[in-house]
Amino acid sequence: MVIIKTDKEIRQIKKSCQLTANTLQYITEKIKPGLKTIEIDKIAESFILKNGGKPSFKGYGDEGNEFPSSVCISINDEIVHGIPGKRVLQEGDIVSIDIGTYLNGYYGDSAVTVGVGKISKVAEKLIKITKKCLFEGIKKAISGNSIGDIGNAVQTVAEENNFSVVREFVGHGVGLKVHEDPQIPNYGKPKTGLKLEQGMVIAIEPMVNQGDYRTTSSDDGWTVKTADGSLSAHFEHTIAIYEKGNEILTLCN
Ligand code: MG
Ligand code: MG
């Protein structure tokens, strides 16, 4: 069931989203070779707590397999849901950081991919194109359009650049829960799927692979990787859909 939000709820969700965005910015400024991913997690967690929020991914999931950390950190061929740990960032890595915050009853969700030091030309292009996919998707996320319009825009940009979009993981409604209906795939046909309407709050999150779109899971039960070992990038914003246009909620305040 899709939860349509009131203007008042959207204002509250925006506050949580701003905390997500501020945390993401605070973290990305600190990314450099030699940093352990667990250190990034600790910095993010203390920033979120200090600002009155909670990391919404910590403890998320089925009983017995809860996500153990505050943020997801996925490096190089890791697509999403990477668990922070002892791994040390190396010059040339690309690192995707996905943050969810809970503030006063509302959720925000956002992700970026950044390079560590100097990165390869193809890594640079992958990051640039994935970000473009997100913004082309956002342009289509307006009242009267369909979910397929978003996915089609994302997929078109990725494939025009000889990259591929991940199928198994998708964007989603968000705001009153971490994940709500509807699902927002990063592929699709124009004018198909649920119609978008005023009051929807959705997270659009293209995951774009350098090579094949297929994924593989890891022994840790969370980390998702590209099946062919190629690089993957991930960008995400939470947006609100209005009668006319939309608003990106996960921007810094
Ligand atoms: Mg996310
Ligand atoms: Mg999300």
Side-chain angles (χ1 to χ4, degrees), residues 10 150 183 198 201:
I10 291 174
I150 300 174
Q183 294 198 339
Q198 183 183 0
V201 175

Side-chain angles (χ1 to χ4, degrees), residues 57 98 109-110 170-172 178-179 203 205 234 236:
F57 298 160
D98 191 352
D109 195 353
S110 186
V170 295
H172 50 91
V178 179
H179 292 125
E205 50 178 314
H234 181 207
E236 176 179 28

